[in-house]
mmCIF file of all heavy atoms in Angstrom:
data_model
loop_
_atom_site.group_PDB
_atom_site.id
_atom_site.type_symbol
_atom_site.label_atom_id
_atom_site.label_comp_id
_atom_site.label_asym_id
_atom_site.label_seq_id
_atom_site.Cartn_x
_atom_site.Cartn_y
_atom_site.Cartn_z
ATOM 1 N N ARG A 1 6.680 -0.118 -0.953
ATOM 2 C CA ARG A 1 7.680 0.903 -0.692
ATOM 3 C C ARG A 1 8.798 0.382 0.164
ATOM 4 O O ARG A 1 8.627 -0.557 0.944
ATOM 5 C CB ARG A 1 7.042 2.151 -0.080
ATOM 6 C CG ARG A 1 6.544 1.961 1.339
ATOM 7 C CD ARG A 1 5.793 3.232 1.781
ATOM 8 N NE ARG A 1 5.313 3.075 3.181
ATOM 9 C CZ ARG A 1 4.526 3.950 3.771
ATOM 10 N NH1 ARG A 1 4.128 5.045 3.099
ATOM 11 N NH2 ARG A 1 4.129 3.754 5.016
ATOM 12 N N GLN A 2 9.942 0.994 -0.009
ATOM 13 C CA GLN A 2 11.117 0.606 0.799
ATOM 14 C C GLN A 2 11.824 1.904 1.260
ATOM 15 O O GLN A 2 12.355 2.643 0.386
ATOM 16 C CB GLN A 2 12.019 -0.286 0.050
ATOM 17 C CG GLN A 2 13.207 -0.846 0.875
ATOM 18 C CD GLN A 2 13.872 -1.987 0.192
ATOM 19 O OE1 GLN A 2 13.794 -2.182 -1.031
ATOM 20 N NE2 GLN A 2 14.592 -2.815 0.978
ATOM 21 N N ALA A 3 11.889 2.103 2.527
ATOM 22 C CA ALA A 3 12.614 3.248 3.126
ATOM 23 C C ALA A 3 14.017 2.798 3.425
ATOM 24 O O ALA A 3 14.302 1.589 3.589
ATOM 25 C CB ALA A 3 11.917 3.732 4.348
ATOM 26 N N PRO A 4 14.971 3.736 3.521
ATOM 27 C CA PRO A 4 16.366 3.351 3.841
ATOM 28 C C PRO A 4 16.440 2.542 5.103
ATOM 29 O O PRO A 4 15.865 2.934 6.158
ATOM 30 C CB PRO A 4 17.059 4.698 3.976
ATOM 31 C CG PRO A 4 16.254 5.624 3.133
ATOM 32 C CD PRO A 4 14.813 5.168 3.270
ATOM 33 N N GLY A 5 17.134 1.429 5.069
ATOM 34 C CA GLY A 5 17.348 0.589 6.226
ATOM 35 C C GLY A 5 16.163 -0.279 6.606
ATOM 36 O O GLY A 5 16.198 -0.937 7.635
ATOM 37 N N LYS A 6 15.108 -0.220 5.820
ATOM 38 C CA LYS A 6 13.893 -1.020 6.137
ATOM 39 C C LYS A 6 13.587 -2.005 5.016
ATOM 40 O O LYS A 6 14.049 -1.834 3.894
ATOM 41 C CB LYS A 6 12.718 -0.081 6.372
ATOM 42 C CG LYS A 6 12.869 0.801 7.602
ATOM 43 C CD LYS A 6 11.585 1.569 7.832
ATOM 44 C CE LYS A 6 11.714 2.408 9.114
ATOM 45 N NZ LYS A 6 10.429 3.148 9.410
ATOM 46 N N GLN A 7 12.763 -2.978 5.358
ATOM 47 C CA GLN A 7 12.340 -3.949 4.371
ATOM 48 C C GLN A 7 11.248 -3.365 3.444
ATOM 49 O O GLN A 7 10.504 -2.439 3.866
ATOM 50 C CB GLN A 7 11.825 -5.205 5.039
ATOM 51 C CG GLN A 7 12.870 -6.041 5.739
ATOM 52 C CD GLN A 7 12.377 -7.362 6.237
ATOM 53 O OE1 GLN A 7 11.191 -7.508 6.581
ATOM 54 N NE2 GLN A 7 13.248 -8.354 6.280
ATOM 55 N N ARG A 8 11.143 -3.933 2.266
ATOM 56 C CA ARG A 8 10.079 -3.503 1.392
ATOM 57 C C ARG A 8 8.738 -3.949 1.990
ATOM 58 O O ARG A 8 8.603 -5.050 2.463
ATOM 59 C CB ARG A 8 10.246 -4.131 0.004
ATOM 60 C CG ARG A 8 9.327 -3.581 -1.087
ATOM 61 C CD ARG A 8 9.666 -4.153 -2.457
ATOM 62 N NE ARG A 8 10.993 -3.747 -2.886
ATOM 63 C CZ ARG A 8 11.468 -3.941 -4.123
ATOM 64 N NH1 ARG A 8 10.722 -4.542 -4.993
ATOM 65 N NH2 ARG A 8 12.684 -3.553 -4.437
ATOM 66 N N GLU A 9 7.764 -3.031 1.930
ATOM 67 C CA GLU A 9 6.453 -3.357 2.521
ATOM 68 C C GLU A 9 5.336 -3.017 1.589
ATOM 69 O O GLU A 9 5.455 -2.127 0.728
ATOM 70 C CB GLU A 9 6.219 -2.537 3.819
ATOM 71 C CG GLU A 9 6.230 -1.031 3.634
ATOM 72 C CD GLU A 9 5.922 -0.280 4.924
ATOM 73 O OE1 GLU A 9 5.737 -0.909 5.981
ATOM 74 O OE2 GLU A 9 5.866 0.950 4.842
ATOM 75 N N LEU A 10 4.241 -3.721 1.725
ATOM 76 C CA LEU A 10 3.034 -3.495 0.904
ATOM 77 C C LEU A 10 2.401 -2.209 1.313
ATOM 78 O O LEU A 10 2.200 -1.969 2.532
ATOM 79 C CB LEU A 10 2.044 -4.656 1.045
ATOM 80 C CG LEU A 10 0.714 -4.455 0.371
ATOM 81 C CD1 LEU A 10 0.847 -4.412 -1.146
ATOM 82 C CD2 LEU A 10 -0.282 -5.548 0.750
ATOM 83 N N VAL A 11 2.087 -1.328 0.377
ATOM 84 C CA VAL A 11 1.320 -0.113 0.645
ATOM 85 C C VAL A 11 -0.148 -0.316 0.353
ATOM 86 O O VAL A 11 -0.992 -0.065 1.210
ATOM 87 C CB VAL A 11 1.881 1.056 -0.235
ATOM 88 C CG1 VAL A 11 1.024 2.294 -0.010
ATOM 89 C CG2 VAL A 11 3.337 1.319 0.098
ATOM 90 N N ALA A 12 -0.427 -0.787 -0.876
ATOM 91 C CA ALA A 12 -1.807 -1.010 -1.268
ATOM 92 C C ALA A 12 -1.823 -1.915 -2.497
ATOM 93 O O ALA A 12 -0.870 -1.890 -3.293
ATOM 94 C CB ALA A 12 -2.519 0.323 -1.596
ATOM 95 N N GLU A 13 -2.879 -2.686 -2.660
ATOM 96 C CA GLU A 13 -3.044 -3.528 -3.843
ATOM 97 C C GLU A 13 -4.529 -3.624 -4.202
ATOM 98 O O GLU A 13 -5.393 -3.392 -3.372
ATOM 99 C CB GLU A 13 -2.465 -4.931 -3.568
ATOM 100 C CG GLU A 13 -3.145 -5.691 -2.493
ATOM 101 C CD GLU A 13 -2.476 -7.049 -2.247
ATOM 102 O OE1 GLU A 13 -1.472 -7.350 -2.896
ATOM 103 O OE2 GLU A 13 -2.998 -7.805 -1.396
ATOM 104 N N VAL A 14 -4.752 -3.943 -5.472
ATOM 105 C CA VAL A 14 -6.132 -4.032 -5.934
ATOM 106 C C VAL A 14 -6.239 -5.290 -6.807
ATOM 107 O O VAL A 14 -5.385 -5.589 -7.631
ATOM 108 C CB VAL A 14 -6.540 -2.751 -6.724
ATOM 109 C CG1 VAL A 14 -5.631 -2.511 -7.916
ATOM 110 C CG2 VAL A 14 -8.019 -2.845 -7.104
ATOM 111 N N SER A 15 -7.326 -6.049 -6.579
ATOM 112 C CA SER A 15 -7.565 -7.244 -7.302
ATOM 113 C C SER A 15 -9.056 -7.424 -7.482
ATOM 114 O O SER A 15 -9.837 -7.408 -6.541
ATOM 115 C CB SER A 15 -7.044 -8.460 -6.538
ATOM 116 O OG SER A 15 -7.308 -9.686 -7.185
ATOM 117 N N GLY A 16 -9.514 -7.508 -8.732
ATOM 118 C CA GLY A 16 -10.903 -7.691 -9.025
ATOM 119 C C GLY A 16 -11.791 -6.599 -8.435
ATOM 120 O O GLY A 16 -12.923 -6.860 -8.041
ATOM 121 N N GLY A 17 -11.254 -5.375 -8.354
ATOM 122 C CA GLY A 17 -12.021 -4.264 -7.788
ATOM 123 C C GLY A 17 -11.940 -4.132 -6.269
ATOM 124 O O GLY A 17 -12.440 -3.158 -5.711
ATOM 125 N N ASN A 18 -11.314 -5.096 -5.662
ATOM 126 C CA ASN A 18 -11.141 -5.032 -4.195
ATOM 127 C C ASN A 18 -9.770 -4.490 -3.820
ATOM 128 O O ASN A 18 -8.774 -4.968 -4.332
ATOM 129 C CB ASN A 18 -11.364 -6.421 -3.587
ATOM 130 C CG ASN A 18 -12.709 -6.947 -3.796
ATOM 131 O OD1 ASN A 18 -13.727 -6.278 -3.549
ATOM 132 N ND2 ASN A 18 -12.836 -8.188 -4.281
ATOM 133 N N ALA A 19 -9.746 -3.491 -2.938
ATOM 134 C CA ALA A 19 -8.509 -2.892 -2.543
ATOM 135 C C ALA A 19 -8.154 -3.249 -1.126
ATOM 136 O O ALA A 19 -8.991 -3.435 -0.273
ATOM 137 C CB ALA A 19 -8.598 -1.370 -2.689
ATOM 138 N N ASN A 20 -6.819 -3.305 -0.897
ATOM 139 C CA ASN A 20 -6.317 -3.636 0.432
ATOM 140 C C ASN A 20 -5.207 -2.611 0.717
ATOM 141 O O ASN A 20 -4.364 -2.327 -0.126
ATOM 142 C CB ASN A 20 -5.751 -5.047 0.404
ATOM 143 C CG ASN A 20 -5.124 -5.451 1.731
ATOM 144 O OD1 ASN A 20 -5.706 -5.200 2.747
ATOM 145 N ND2 ASN A 20 -3.967 -6.077 1.672
ATOM 146 N N TYR A 21 -5.183 -2.057 1.959
ATOM 147 C CA TYR A 21 -4.246 -1.013 2.303
ATOM 148 C C TYR A 21 -3.470 -1.402 3.585
ATOM 149 O O TYR A 21 -4.055 -2.025 4.483
ATOM 150 C CB TYR A 21 -4.993 0.311 2.554
ATOM 151 C CG TYR A 21 -5.686 0.867 1.358
ATOM 152 C CD1 TYR A 21 -7.045 0.592 1.146
ATOM 153 C CD2 TYR A 21 -5.021 1.700 0.496
ATOM 154 C CE1 TYR A 21 -7.686 1.122 0.028
ATOM 155 C CE2 TYR A 21 -5.662 2.226 -0.590
ATOM 156 C CZ TYR A 21 -6.985 1.947 -0.873
ATOM 157 O OH TYR A 21 -7.624 2.468 -1.950
ATOM 158 N N ALA A 22 -2.273 -0.931 3.643
ATOM 159 C CA ALA A 22 -1.508 -1.018 4.880
ATOM 160 C C ALA A 22 -2.192 -0.084 5.909
ATOM 161 O O ALA A 22 -2.711 1.003 5.550
ATOM 162 C CB ALA A 22 -0.082 -0.610 4.698
ATOM 163 N N ASP A 23 -2.150 -0.465 7.171
ATOM 164 C CA ASP A 23 -2.779 0.354 8.214
ATOM 165 C C ASP A 23 -2.218 1.774 8.231
ATOM 166 O O ASP A 23 -2.920 2.748 8.474
ATOM 167 C CB ASP A 23 -2.582 -0.269 9.595
ATOM 168 C CG ASP A 23 -3.412 -1.554 9.716
ATOM 169 O OD1 ASP A 23 -4.344 -1.774 8.958
ATOM 170 O OD2 ASP A 23 -3.097 -2.326 10.691
ATOM 171 N N SER A 24 -0.943 1.895 7.904
ATOM 172 C CA SER A 24 -0.244 3.206 7.981
ATOM 173 C C SER A 24 -0.750 4.206 6.965
ATOM 174 O O SER A 24 -0.529 5.398 7.072
ATOM 175 C CB SER A 24 1.244 3.034 7.878
ATOM 176 O OG SER A 24 1.536 2.416 6.647
ATOM 177 N N VAL A 25 -1.401 3.702 5.882
ATOM 178 C CA VAL A 25 -1.847 4.591 4.822
ATOM 179 C C VAL A 25 -3.329 4.634 4.609
ATOM 180 O O VAL A 25 -3.852 5.491 3.849
ATOM 181 C CB VAL A 25 -1.173 4.249 3.469
ATOM 182 C CG1 VAL A 25 0.357 4.181 3.625
ATOM 183 C CG2 VAL A 25 -1.735 2.997 2.872
ATOM 184 N N ALA A 26 -4.049 3.731 5.286
ATOM 185 C CA ALA A 26 -5.509 3.688 5.121
ATOM 186 C C ALA A 26 -6.136 4.998 5.510
ATOM 187 O O ALA A 26 -5.778 5.610 6.488
ATOM 188 C CB ALA A 26 -6.058 2.567 6.016
ATOM 189 N N GLY A 27 -7.032 5.459 4.614
ATOM 190 C CA GLY A 27 -7.706 6.730 4.810
ATOM 191 C C GLY A 27 -6.945 7.918 4.191
ATOM 192 O O GLY A 27 -7.534 9.013 4.078
ATOM 193 N N ARG A 28 -5.710 7.726 3.823
ATOM 194 C CA ARG A 28 -4.904 8.775 3.190
ATOM 195 C C ARG A 28 -4.597 8.465 1.738
ATOM 196 O O ARG A 28 -4.536 9.392 0.897
ATOM 197 C CB ARG A 28 -3.615 9.018 3.971
ATOM 198 C CG ARG A 28 -3.805 9.439 5.421
ATOM 199 C CD ARG A 28 -2.471 9.791 6.031
ATOM 200 N NE ARG A 28 -1.512 8.659 6.111
ATOM 201 C CZ ARG A 28 -0.314 8.694 5.565
ATOM 202 N NH1 ARG A 28 0.096 9.747 4.903
ATOM 203 N NH2 ARG A 28 0.458 7.633 5.677
ATOM 204 N N PHE A 29 -4.385 7.219 1.455
ATOM 205 C CA PHE A 29 -4.028 6.788 0.081
ATOM 206 C C PHE A 29 -5.229 6.066 -0.544
ATOM 207 O O PHE A 29 -6.005 5.370 0.126
ATOM 208 C CB PHE A 29 -2.845 5.851 0.115
ATOM 209 C CG PHE A 29 -1.537 6.427 0.525
ATOM 210 C CD1 PHE A 29 -1.451 7.689 1.044
ATOM 211 C CD2 PHE A 29 -0.352 5.675 0.411
ATOM 212 C CE1 PHE A 29 -0.213 8.265 1.442
ATOM 213 C CE2 PHE A 29 0.877 6.213 0.790
ATOM 214 C CZ PHE A 29 0.926 7.487 1.326
ATOM 215 N N THR A 30 -5.338 6.232 -1.886
ATOM 216 C CA THR A 30 -6.358 5.522 -2.633
ATOM 217 C C THR A 30 -5.747 4.861 -3.863
ATOM 218 O O THR A 30 -5.042 5.547 -4.642
ATOM 219 C CB THR A 30 -7.468 6.459 -3.054
ATOM 220 O OG1 THR A 30 -8.022 7.105 -1.931
ATOM 221 C CG2 THR A 30 -8.558 5.727 -3.815
ATOM 222 N N ILE A 31 -5.979 3.611 -4.036
ATOM 223 C CA ILE A 31 -5.442 2.850 -5.164
ATOM 224 C C ILE A 31 -6.547 2.639 -6.164
ATOM 225 O O ILE A 31 -7.719 2.353 -5.787
ATOM 226 C CB ILE A 31 -4.799 1.503 -4.749
ATOM 227 C CG1 ILE A 31 -4.019 0.894 -5.921
ATOM 228 C CG2 ILE A 31 -5.819 0.572 -4.183
ATOM 229 C CD1 ILE A 31 -3.175 -0.290 -5.514
ATOM 230 N N SER A 32 -6.223 2.721 -7.447
ATOM 231 C CA SER A 32 -7.152 2.432 -8.500
ATOM 232 C C SER A 32 -6.423 1.708 -9.582
ATOM 233 O O SER A 32 -5.264 2.056 -9.863
ATOM 234 C CB SER A 32 -7.862 3.684 -9.011
ATOM 235 O OG SER A 32 -6.888 4.598 -9.495
ATOM 236 N N GLY A 33 -7.068 0.787 -10.225
ATOM 237 C CA GLY A 33 -6.399 -0.006 -11.243
ATOM 238 C C GLY A 33 -7.342 -0.502 -12.333
ATOM 239 O O GLY A 33 -8.532 -0.564 -12.115
ATOM 240 N N ASP A 34 -6.742 -0.824 -13.438
ATOM 241 C CA ASP A 34 -7.461 -1.405 -14.537
ATOM 242 C C ASP A 34 -6.661 -2.661 -14.922
ATOM 243 O O ASP A 34 -5.659 -2.612 -15.600
ATOM 244 C CB ASP A 34 -7.519 -0.434 -15.722
ATOM 245 C CG ASP A 34 -8.385 -0.966 -16.844
ATOM 246 O OD1 ASP A 34 -8.437 -2.198 -17.044
ATOM 247 O OD2 ASP A 34 -9.011 -0.150 -17.542
#
């Protein structure tokens, strides 16, 4: 995500069933992928 005036930042990603979250969204956001 990229907010006005800020750099693009990772929110969440998933690889091989393993998910990784930014601290700011952990516990609130859930990523799922195929």
Side-chain angles (χ1 to χ4, degrees):
R1 68 187 181 188
Q2 187 166 20
K6 294 188 177 181
Q7 290 188 330
R8 189 174 297 189
E9 63 175 1
L10 174 67
V11 176
E13 61 183 3
V14 59
S15 178
N18 296 312
N20 178 45
Y21 297 92
D23 289 343
S24 59
V25 307
R28 299 187 297 122
F29 292 9
T30 302
I31 190 170
S32 58
D34 186 328

